[in-house]
Amino acid sequence: MDVVYLGETICSKRRLLRPEDWWDLAERVAASGREPVISTLALIESEGELKTLERQCGDRRFLIEANDLAALDFLEGRPFVAGTSINLYNQRTLSFLATRGLKRWVLPVELGRDTATDLIRTRPAGVECEVFAFGRLPLAYSARCFTAYNNGQGKDRCEFRCSEHPDGLLISTQEDQPFLALNGIQTQSAATHNLLPVLDELTTLGVDLVRINPQSQQTATVVQTFAARLQCDLELA
């Protein structure tokens, strides 16, 4: 089944949609035959953000992607997805989270094939592995908004400068080579990560899902390309 993640994971100030709006969208996604998952913030910094997280986790209709471990207290043992910002590096952590309801984990982008192979081979029964397969890699988070700082503004008075850079603010080296992209408090890779050429290897490893991180252009085409390749691999198998 196709999975659609819905929600704001970077900054709570981007309040274009309320939790109720995300839930309405999730209902529409479910009606289309896909699995909706409500994603939560990767960095909880205020009481207001904590209360919003509690509201999100309190709605039992949809699976939650926990991007901050604070969500576990509110989920009370219900199934959840561990996002890329959860530092899940070894089998012990995987087993512990499975006792707290882990249904699926997204492999941290800094881990290599050997570590992924070991984790997948020793994972608890019924736990799925998802791999970040396309998009700018999420590398780090900070309490400071680098996009606002780049414009000489503080985070509290950012004027939503991040909206001027839908694919992040590109940072280059002194040799004018693309290095990083700034997405508010998130630091991303400048290059677009693409595992399309090795999808068959991921299947062999036992990966259950591949994640496509949307960009401002051609995301639908990317999704269609991955879907076609996966369907071809299934038919050949």
Side-chain angles (χ1 to χ4, degrees), residues 116-148:
T117 301
D118 289 341
L119 285 175
I120 292 171
R121 178 175 52 83
T122 58
R123 61 182 163 177
V127 176
E128 299 172 333
C129 178
E130 181 174 337
V131 167
F132 193 102
F134 186 91
R136 284 183 164 167
L137 294 171
L139 301 177
Y141 300 85
S142 170
R144 171 174 288 183
C145 177
F146 294 116
T147 307

PDB file of all heavy atoms in Angstrom, residues 116-148:
ATOM      1  N   ALA A 116      22.527  -1.083   7.998  1.00  0.00           N
ATOM      2  CA  ALA A 116      21.130  -1.325   7.629  1.00  0.00           C
ATOM      3  C   ALA A 116      20.852  -2.819   7.529  1.00  0.00           C
ATOM      4  O   ALA A 116      19.810  -3.305   7.998  1.00  0.00           O
ATOM      5  CB  ALA A 116      20.824  -0.634   6.302  1.00  0.00           C
ATOM      6  N   THR A 117      21.778  -3.548   6.926  1.00  0.00           N
ATOM      7  CA  THR A 117      21.604  -4.992   6.780  1.00  0.00           C
ATOM      8  C   THR A 117      21.485  -5.672   8.135  1.00  0.00           C
ATOM      9  O   THR A 117      20.614  -6.524   8.353  1.00  0.00           O
ATOM     10  CB  THR A 117      22.790  -5.588   5.999  1.00  0.00           C
ATOM     11  OG1 THR A 117      22.859  -4.975   4.712  1.00  0.00           O
ATOM     12  CG2 THR A 117      22.630  -7.092   5.832  1.00  0.00           C
ATOM     13  N   ASP A 118      22.355  -5.284   9.074  1.00  0.00           N
ATOM     14  CA  ASP A 118      22.321  -5.882  10.414  1.00  0.00           C
ATOM     15  C   ASP A 118      21.022  -5.556  11.137  1.00  0.00           C
ATOM     16  O   ASP A 118      20.423  -6.423  11.789  1.00  0.00           O
ATOM     17  CB  ASP A 118      23.515  -5.392  11.233  1.00  0.00           C
ATOM     18  CG  ASP A 118      24.837  -5.965  10.750  1.00  0.00           C
ATOM     19  OD1 ASP A 118      24.812  -6.993  10.034  1.00  0.00           O
ATOM     20  OD2 ASP A 118      25.885  -5.372  11.062  1.00  0.00           O
ATOM     21  N   LEU A 119      20.580  -4.302  11.043  1.00  0.00           N
ATOM     22  CA  LEU A 119      19.342  -3.914  11.725  1.00  0.00           C
ATOM     23  C   LEU A 119      18.136  -4.642  11.150  1.00  0.00           C
ATOM     24  O   LEU A 119      17.252  -5.098  11.889  1.00  0.00           O
ATOM     25  CB  LEU A 119      19.144  -2.400  11.613  1.00  0.00           C
ATOM     26  CG  LEU A 119      20.030  -1.524  12.497  1.00  0.00           C
ATOM     27  CD1 LEU A 119      19.808  -0.053  12.174  1.00  0.00           C
ATOM     28  CD2 LEU A 119      19.756  -1.788  13.965  1.00  0.00           C
ATOM     29  N   ILE A 120      18.076  -4.739   9.833  1.00  0.00           N
ATOM     30  CA  ILE A 120      16.944  -5.412   9.196  1.00  0.00           C
ATOM     31  C   ILE A 120      16.946  -6.902   9.537  1.00  0.00           C
ATOM     32  O   ILE A 120      15.901  -7.506   9.800  1.00  0.00           O
ATOM     33  CB  ILE A 120      16.986  -5.194   7.669  1.00  0.00           C
ATOM     34  CG1 ILE A 120      16.716  -3.723   7.344  1.00  0.00           C
ATOM     35  CG2 ILE A 120      15.980  -6.086   6.954  1.00  0.00           C
ATOM     36  CD1 ILE A 120      16.946  -3.352   5.900  1.00  0.00           C
ATOM     37  N   ARG A 121      18.122  -7.492   9.566  1.00  0.00           N
ATOM     38  CA  ARG A 121      18.234  -8.934   9.837  1.00  0.00           C
ATOM     39  C   ARG A 121      17.809  -9.268  11.261  1.00  0.00           C
ATOM     40  O   ARG A 121      17.251 -10.347  11.504  1.00  0.00           O
ATOM     41  CB  ARG A 121      19.680  -9.376   9.595  1.00  0.00           C
ATOM     42  CG  ARG A 121      19.952 -10.838   9.875  1.00  0.00           C
ATOM     43  CD  ARG A 121      21.366 -11.220   9.492  1.00  0.00           C
ATOM     44  NE  ARG A 121      22.350 -10.326  10.086  1.00  0.00           N
ATOM     45  CZ  ARG A 121      22.817 -10.451  11.330  1.00  0.00           C
ATOM     46  NH1 ARG A 121      22.374 -11.439  12.113  1.00  0.00           N
ATOM     47  NH2 ARG A 121      23.717  -9.608  11.804  1.00  0.00           N
ATOM     48  N   THR A 122      18.047  -8.360  12.215  1.00  0.00           N
ATOM     49  CA  THR A 122      17.772  -8.643  13.625  1.00  0.00           C
ATOM     50  C   THR A 122      16.547  -7.898  14.148  1.00  0.00           C
ATOM     51  O   THR A 122      16.308  -7.908  15.362  1.00  0.00           O
ATOM     52  CB  THR A 122      18.995  -8.253  14.483  1.00  0.00           C
ATOM     53  OG1 THR A 122      19.297  -6.855  14.293  1.00  0.00           O
ATOM     54  CG2 THR A 122      20.211  -9.073  14.085  1.00  0.00           C
ATOM     55  N   ARG A 123      15.786  -7.272  13.276  1.00  0.00           N
ATOM     56  CA  ARG A 123      14.649  -6.478  13.746  1.00  0.00           C
ATOM     57  C   ARG A 123      13.581  -7.370  14.376  1.00  0.00           C
ATOM     58  O   ARG A 123      13.408  -8.535  14.006  1.00  0.00           O
ATOM     59  CB  ARG A 123      14.034  -5.689  12.582  1.00  0.00           C
ATOM     60  CG  ARG A 123      13.506  -6.577  11.462  1.00  0.00           C
ATOM     61  CD  ARG A 123      12.967  -5.754  10.330  1.00  0.00           C
ATOM     62  NE  ARG A 123      12.826  -6.520   9.098  1.00  0.00           N
ATOM     63  CZ  ARG A 123      12.319  -6.043   7.965  1.00  0.00           C
ATOM     64  NH1 ARG A 123      11.882  -4.795   7.925  1.00  0.00           N
ATOM     65  NH2 ARG A 123      12.246  -6.795   6.899  1.00  0.00           N
ATOM     66  N   PRO A 124      12.807  -6.807  15.317  1.00  0.00           N
ATOM     67  CA  PRO A 124      11.715  -7.570  15.927  1.00  0.00           C
ATOM     68  C   PRO A 124      10.647  -7.930  14.892  1.00  0.00           C
ATOM     69  O   PRO A 124      10.466  -7.218  13.897  1.00  0.00           O
ATOM     70  CB  PRO A 124      11.158  -6.601  16.983  1.00  0.00           C
ATOM     71  CG  PRO A 124      12.280  -5.649  17.258  1.00  0.00           C
ATOM     72  CD  PRO A 124      13.001  -5.501  15.963  1.00  0.00           C
ATOM     73  N   ALA A 125       9.958  -8.993  15.120  1.00  0.00           N
ATOM     74  CA  ALA A 125       8.923  -9.448  14.192  1.00  0.00           C
ATOM     75  C   ALA A 125       7.839  -8.383  14.030  1.00  0.00           C
ATOM     76  O   ALA A 125       7.413  -7.759  15.010  1.00  0.00           O
ATOM     77  CB  ALA A 125       8.308 -10.748  14.708  1.00  0.00           C
ATOM     78  N   GLY A 126       7.430  -8.165  12.796  1.00  0.00           N
ATOM     79  CA  GLY A 126       6.343  -7.233  12.515  1.00  0.00           C
ATOM     80  C   GLY A 126       6.758  -5.788  12.356  1.00  0.00           C
ATOM     81  O   GLY A 126       5.912  -4.933  12.056  1.00  0.00           O
ATOM     82  N   VAL A 127       8.036  -5.460  12.550  1.00  0.00           N
ATOM     83  CA  VAL A 127       8.522  -4.085  12.415  1.00  0.00           C
ATOM     84  C   VAL A 127       9.052  -3.869  10.996  1.00  0.00           C
ATOM     85  O   VAL A 127       9.874  -4.647  10.511  1.00  0.00           O
ATOM     86  CB  VAL A 127       9.627  -3.781  13.443  1.00  0.00           C
ATOM     87  CG1 VAL A 127      10.195  -2.378  13.219  1.00  0.00           C
ATOM     88  CG2 VAL A 127       9.076  -3.898  14.857  1.00  0.00           C
ATOM     89  N   GLU A 128       8.572  -2.814  10.340  1.00  0.00           N
ATOM     90  CA  GLU A 128       8.946  -2.521   8.967  1.00  0.00           C
ATOM     91  C   GLU A 128      10.105  -1.534   8.911  1.00  0.00           C
ATOM     92  O   GLU A 128      10.255  -0.691   9.802  1.00  0.00           O
ATOM     93  CB  GLU A 128       7.756  -1.925   8.200  1.00  0.00           C
ATOM     94  CG  GLU A 128       6.549  -2.849   8.121  1.00  0.00           C
ATOM     95  CD  GLU A 128       5.343  -2.149   7.526  1.00  0.00           C
ATOM     96  OE1 GLU A 128       5.245  -0.911   7.646  1.00  0.00           O
ATOM     97  OE2 GLU A 128       4.483  -2.848   6.950  1.00  0.00           O
ATOM     98  N   CYS A 129      10.894  -1.625   7.835  1.00  0.00           N
ATOM     99  CA  CYS A 129      11.997  -0.685   7.609  1.00  0.00           C
ATOM    100  C   CYS A 129      11.698   0.170   6.382  1.00  0.00           C
ATOM    101  O   CYS A 129      11.331  -0.351   5.324  1.00  0.00           O
ATOM    102  CB  CYS A 129      13.313  -1.432   7.402  1.00  0.00           C
ATOM    103  SG  CYS A 129      14.725  -0.338   7.055  1.00  0.00           S
ATOM    104  N   GLU A 130      11.856   1.469   6.543  1.00  0.00           N
ATOM    105  CA  GLU A 130      11.658   2.422   5.447  1.00  0.00           C
ATOM    106  C   GLU A 130      12.981   3.146   5.202  1.00  0.00           C
ATOM    107  O   GLU A 130      13.695   3.487   6.151  1.00  0.00           O
ATOM    108  CB  GLU A 130      10.557   3.419   5.822  1.00  0.00           C
ATOM    109  CG  GLU A 130      10.248   4.452   4.746  1.00  0.00           C
ATOM    110  CD  GLU A 130       9.048   5.321   5.112  1.00  0.00           C
ATOM    111  OE1 GLU A 130       8.222   4.873   5.940  1.00  0.00           O
ATOM    112  OE2 GLU A 130       8.951   6.440   4.580  1.00  0.00           O
ATOM    113  N   VAL A 131      13.304   3.380   3.943  1.00  0.00           N
ATOM    114  CA  VAL A 131      14.561   4.033   3.575  1.00  0.00           C
ATOM    115  C   VAL A 131      14.272   5.313   2.808  1.00  0.00           C
ATOM    116  O   VAL A 131      13.398   5.338   1.926  1.00  0.00           O
ATOM    117  CB  VAL A 131      15.445   3.093   2.736  1.00  0.00           C
ATOM    118  CG1 VAL A 131      16.604   3.844   2.089  1.00  0.00           C
ATOM    119  CG2 VAL A 131      15.990   1.968   3.601  1.00  0.00           C
ATOM    120  N   PHE A 132      14.983   6.374   3.159  1.00  0.00           N
ATOM    121  CA  PHE A 132      14.891   7.662   2.466  1.00  0.00           C
ATOM    122  C   PHE A 132      15.511   7.479   1.079  1.00  0.00           C
ATOM    123  O   PHE A 132      16.714   7.298   0.951  1.00  0.00           O
ATOM    124  CB  PHE A 132      15.641   8.713   3.269  1.00  0.00           C
ATOM    125  CG  PHE A 132      15.383  10.133   2.844  1.00  0.00           C
ATOM    126  CD1 PHE A 132      14.535  10.949   3.564  1.00  0.00           C
ATOM    127  CD2 PHE A 132      16.000  10.663   1.716  1.00  0.00           C
ATOM    128  CE1 PHE A 132      14.311  12.265   3.185  1.00  0.00           C
ATOM    129  CE2 PHE A 132      15.785  11.965   1.330  1.00  0.00           C
ATOM    130  CZ  PHE A 132      14.927  12.781   2.065  1.00  0.00           C
ATOM    131  N   ALA A 133      14.688   7.525   0.034  1.00  0.00           N
ATOM    132  CA  ALA A 133      15.146   7.141  -1.303  1.00  0.00           C
ATOM    133  C   ALA A 133      15.285   8.294  -2.282  1.00  0.00           C
ATOM    134  O   ALA A 133      15.962   8.148  -3.310  1.00  0.00           O
ATOM    135  CB  ALA A 133      14.198   6.101  -1.906  1.00  0.00           C
ATOM    136  N   PHE A 134      14.660   9.435  -2.007  1.00  0.00           N
ATOM    137  CA  PHE A 134      14.769  10.555  -2.942  1.00  0.00           C
ATOM    138  C   PHE A 134      14.520  11.870  -2.213  1.00  0.00           C
ATOM    139  O   PHE A 134      13.590  11.990  -1.415  1.00  0.00           O
ATOM    140  CB  PHE A 134      13.768  10.421  -4.090  1.00  0.00           C
ATOM    141  CG  PHE A 134      13.938  11.486  -5.145  1.00  0.00           C
ATOM    142  CD1 PHE A 134      14.772  11.267  -6.234  1.00  0.00           C
ATOM    143  CD2 PHE A 134      13.287  12.708  -5.059  1.00  0.00           C
ATOM    144  CE1 PHE A 134      14.960  12.240  -7.201  1.00  0.00           C
ATOM    145  CE2 PHE A 134      13.469  13.695  -6.017  1.00  0.00           C
ATOM    146  CZ  PHE A 134      14.305  13.458  -7.088  1.00  0.00           C
ATOM    147  N   GLY A 135      15.346  12.876  -2.533  1.00  0.00           N
ATOM    148  CA  GLY A 135      15.174  14.217  -1.984  1.00  0.00           C
ATOM    149  C   GLY A 135      16.450  14.712  -1.331  1.00  0.00           C
ATOM    150  O   GLY A 135      17.465  14.012  -1.277  1.00  0.00           O
ATOM    151  N   ARG A 136      16.398  15.918  -0.842  1.00  0.00           N
ATOM    152  CA  ARG A 136      17.534  16.468  -0.099  1.00  0.00           C
ATOM    153  C   ARG A 136      17.563  15.848   1.291  1.00  0.00           C
ATOM    154  O   ARG A 136      16.572  15.858   2.008  1.00  0.00           O
ATOM    155  CB  ARG A 136      17.428  17.988  -0.026  1.00  0.00           C
ATOM    156  CG  ARG A 136      17.807  18.655  -1.341  1.00  0.00           C
ATOM    157  CD  ARG A 136      17.776  20.155  -1.270  1.00  0.00           C
ATOM    158  NE  ARG A 136      18.500  20.744  -2.398  1.00  0.00           N
ATOM    159  CZ  ARG A 136      18.451  22.016  -2.739  1.00  0.00           C
ATOM    160  NH1 ARG A 136      17.730  22.866  -2.019  1.00  0.00           N
ATOM    161  NH2 ARG A 136      19.136  22.458  -3.773  1.00  0.00           N
ATOM    162  N   LEU A 137      18.721  15.323   1.660  1.00  0.00           N
ATOM    163  CA  LEU A 137      18.834  14.589   2.910  1.00  0.00           C
ATOM    164  C   LEU A 137      18.693  15.503   4.126  1.00  0.00           C
ATOM    165  O   LEU A 137      19.345  16.549   4.196  1.00  0.00           O
ATOM    166  CB  LEU A 137      20.188  13.885   2.977  1.00  0.00           C
ATOM    167  CG  LEU A 137      20.435  12.781   1.959  1.00  0.00           C
ATOM    168  CD1 LEU A 137      21.886  12.341   2.015  1.00  0.00           C
ATOM    169  CD2 LEU A 137      19.509  11.607   2.199  1.00  0.00           C
ATOM    170  N   PRO A 138      17.867  15.147   5.104  1.00  0.00           N
ATOM    171  CA  PRO A 138      17.801  15.896   6.363  1.00  0.00           C
ATOM    172  C   PRO A 138      19.006  15.546   7.225  1.00  0.00           C
ATOM    173  O   PRO A 138      19.162  14.403   7.653  1.00  0.00           O
ATOM    174  CB  PRO A 138      16.493  15.407   6.985  1.00  0.00           C
ATOM    175  CG  PRO A 138      16.309  14.025   6.429  1.00  0.00           C
ATOM    176  CD  PRO A 138      16.919  14.013   5.065  1.00  0.00           C
ATOM    177  N   LEU A 139      19.864  16.513   7.489  1.00  0.00           N
ATOM    178  CA  LEU A 139      21.135  16.238   8.155  1.00  0.00           C
ATOM    179  C   LEU A 139      21.164  16.642   9.619  1.00  0.00           C
ATOM    180  O   LEU A 139      21.768  15.957  10.442  1.00  0.00           O
ATOM    181  CB  LEU A 139      22.274  16.947   7.408  1.00  0.00           C
ATOM    182  CG  LEU A 139      22.456  16.568   5.936  1.00  0.00           C
ATOM    183  CD1 LEU A 139      23.569  17.398   5.307  1.00  0.00           C
ATOM    184  CD2 LEU A 139      22.733  15.083   5.778  1.00  0.00           C
ATOM    185  N   ALA A 140      20.554  17.787   9.956  1.00  0.00           N
ATOM    186  CA  ALA A 140      20.662  18.280  11.334  1.00  0.00           C
ATOM    187  C   ALA A 140      19.549  19.285  11.618  1.00  0.00           C
ATOM    188  O   ALA A 140      18.939  19.842  10.689  1.00  0.00           O
ATOM    189  CB  ALA A 140      22.026  18.929  11.558  1.00  0.00           C
ATOM    190  N   TYR A 141      19.313  19.515  12.927  1.00  0.00           N
ATOM    191  CA  TYR A 141      18.317  20.489  13.379  1.00  0.00           C
ATOM    192  C   TYR A 141      18.948  21.375  14.444  1.00  0.00           C
ATOM    193  O   TYR A 141      19.831  20.943  15.182  1.00  0.00           O
ATOM    194  CB  TYR A 141      17.081  19.781  13.953  1.00  0.00           C
ATOM    195  CG  TYR A 141      16.377  18.890  12.964  1.00  0.00           C
ATOM    196  CD1 TYR A 141      16.794  17.586  12.776  1.00  0.00           C
ATOM    197  CD2 TYR A 141      15.315  19.358  12.192  1.00  0.00           C
ATOM    198  CE1 TYR A 141      16.174  16.758  11.862  1.00  0.00           C
ATOM    199  CE2 TYR A 141      14.689  18.543  11.274  1.00  0.00           C
ATOM    200  CZ  TYR A 141      15.124  17.241  11.112  1.00  0.00           C
ATOM    201  OH  TYR A 141      14.513  16.416  10.201  1.00  0.00           O
ATOM    202  N   SER A 142      18.476  22.604  14.515  1.00  0.00           N
ATOM    203  CA  SER A 142      19.020  23.554  15.490  1.00  0.00           C
ATOM    204  C   SER A 142      17.889  24.411  16.044  1.00  0.00           C
ATOM    205  O   SER A 142      16.881  24.645  15.377  1.00  0.00           O
ATOM    206  CB  SER A 142      20.066  24.447  14.820  1.00  0.00           C
ATOM    207  OG  SER A 142      20.445  25.509  15.676  1.00  0.00           O
ATOM    208  N   ALA A 143      18.052  24.879  17.277  1.00  0.00           N
ATOM    209  CA  ALA A 143      17.067  25.801  17.848  1.00  0.00           C
ATOM    210  C   ALA A 143      17.074  27.139  17.115  1.00  0.00           C
ATOM    211  O   ALA A 143      16.095  27.883  17.150  1.00  0.00           O
ATOM    212  CB  ALA A 143      17.352  26.014  19.332  1.00  0.00           C
ATOM    213  N   ARG A 144      18.170  27.459  16.436  1.00  0.00           N
ATOM    214  CA  ARG A 144      18.278  28.718  15.694  1.00  0.00           C
ATOM    215  C   ARG A 144      17.784  28.524  14.261  1.00  0.00           C
ATOM    216  O   ARG A 144      18.074  27.507  13.631  1.00  0.00           O
ATOM    217  CB  ARG A 144      19.724  29.207  15.693  1.00  0.00           C
ATOM    218  CG  ARG A 144      19.980  30.383  14.762  1.00  0.00           C
ATOM    219  CD  ARG A 144      21.381  30.923  14.894  1.00  0.00           C
ATOM    220  NE  ARG A 144      21.559  31.645  16.152  1.00  0.00           N
ATOM    221  CZ  ARG A 144      22.682  32.263  16.496  1.00  0.00           C
ATOM    222  NH1 ARG A 144      23.724  32.231  15.702  1.00  0.00           N
ATOM    223  NH2 ARG A 144      22.755  32.908  17.640  1.00  0.00           N
ATOM    224  N   CYS A 145      17.051  29.510  13.747  1.00  0.00           N
ATOM    225  CA  CYS A 145      16.612  29.473  12.347  1.00  0.00           C
ATOM    226  C   CYS A 145      17.688  30.126  11.482  1.00  0.00           C
ATOM    227  O   CYS A 145      17.863  31.341  11.480  1.00  0.00           O
ATOM    228  CB  CYS A 145      15.281  30.209  12.173  1.00  0.00           C
ATOM    229  SG  CYS A 145      14.732  30.258  10.437  1.00  0.00           S
ATOM    230  N   PHE A 146      18.407  29.317  10.747  1.00  0.00           N
ATOM    231  CA  PHE A 146      19.500  29.830   9.931  1.00  0.00           C
ATOM    232  C   PHE A 146      18.999  30.678   8.759  1.00  0.00           C
ATOM    233  O   PHE A 146      19.684  31.606   8.324  1.00  0.00           O
ATOM    234  CB  PHE A 146      20.346  28.673   9.404  1.00  0.00           C
ATOM    235  CG  PHE A 146      21.075  27.935  10.490  1.00  0.00           C
ATOM    236  CD1 PHE A 146      20.795  26.606  10.753  1.00  0.00           C
ATOM    237  CD2 PHE A 146      22.035  28.583  11.258  1.00  0.00           C
ATOM    238  CE1 PHE A 146      21.468  25.926  11.752  1.00  0.00           C
ATOM    239  CE2 PHE A 146      22.712  27.906  12.260  1.00  0.00           C
ATOM    240  CZ  PHE A 146      22.424  26.567  12.509  1.00  0.00           C
ATOM    241  N   THR A 147      17.808  30.357   8.258  1.00  0.00           N
ATOM    242  CA  THR A 147      17.262  31.142   7.152  1.00  0.00           C
ATOM    243  C   THR A 147      16.990  32.568   7.599  1.00  0.00           C
ATOM    244  O   THR A 147      17.323  33.533   6.903  1.00  0.00           O
ATOM    245  CB  THR A 147      15.973  30.504   6.608  1.00  0.00           C
ATOM    246  OG1 THR A 147      16.215  29.127   6.294  1.00  0.00           O
ATOM    247  CG2 THR A 147      15.511  31.228   5.355  1.00  0.00           C
ATOM    248  N   ALA A 148      16.390  32.728   8.779  1.00  0.00           N
ATOM    249  CA  ALA A 148      16.131  34.062   9.310  1.00  0.00           C
ATOM    250  C   ALA A 148      17.448  34.776   9.622  1.00  0.00           C
ATOM    251  O   ALA A 148      17.615  35.965   9.304  1.00  0.00           O
ATOM    252  CB  ALA A 148      15.275  33.965  10.567  1.00  0.00           C
TER     253      ALA A 148
END
